[in-house]
Amino acid sequence: STDEPAPQKSERAAGGEAPRRQPEGPVRGEGFTMDGLEDSPEAAARRDAAFLNLCVSLYQSSFIHPEAAQGEEEAAPELDLDVVRANVEMLEMLRRKTAGNLTKEEQQILDALVAELKMAYVMKVPGS
């Protein structure tokens, strides 16, 4: 047997690219700053608010707000049933994926949003 030196490991990935380093500290981009893994109460509150904003945004996007004619009262929002069904599925997925990680209030809000969308859907679907 020949005593050849073992090949040295390269710092390059299989595709020839150097591995990317994780950023240290906040990541700043055009128009936003991402906290990274900051654990302060303020950062946690921002993340909690962002989660609830996402849930409420999904809920609100289920409604179509038709333009009211000039001089008329604002028309009542209508449901887009395909969007409602998709948003209920997404909210339920979020509920499953976050099980045990939400505050009592967050869980109540998420449950209420899902229940309201399901009820609105059932009330609009013919034959239900």
Side-chain angles (χ1 to χ4, degrees):
S1 112
T2 54
D3 291 330
E4 293 181 20
Q8 294 198 4
K9 292 185 180 181
S10 170
E11 287 189 20
R12 300 208 174 265
E17 296 179 16
R20 294 186 181 181
R21 291 185 182 185
Q22 293 296 322
E24 296 177 20
V27 176
R28 299 191 193 293
E30 190 173 319
F32 76 95
T33 300
M34 200 164 65
D35 288 339
L37 301 175
E38 184 182 347
D39 250 352
S40 72
E42 295 82 16
R46 284 191 304 271
R47 286 190 299 272
D48 292 349
F51 175 77
L52 289 176
N53 286 338
L54 171 65
C55 294
V56 171
S57 176
L58 287 169
Y59 171 84
Q60 289 175 336
S61 70
S62 300
F63 298 92
I64 300 169
H65 295 277
E67 298 287 326
Q70 192 173 10
E72 294 180 19
E73 289 186 30
E74 188 174 324
E78 299 174 19
L79 287 175
D80 182 331
L81 295 179
D82 292 331
V83 174
V84 173
R85 187 174 53 243
N87 287 347
V88 166
E89 290 172 1
M90 284 191 276
L91 288 169
E92 286 182 330
M93 178 271 307
L94 284 171
R95 187 165 46 184
R96 283 191 308 276
K97 293 291 187 175
T98 59
N101 292 318
L102 299 178
T103 66
K104 181 180 176 183
E105 292 79 18
E106 289 170 331
Q107 189 67 55
Q108 288 172 339
I109 291 169
L110 183 54
D111 290 344
L113 293 174
V114 170
E116 285 182 32
L117 281 181
K118 282 183 174 182
M119 183 59 70
Y121 183 87
V122 168
M123 299 298 286
K124 286 289 187 179
V125 172
S128 55

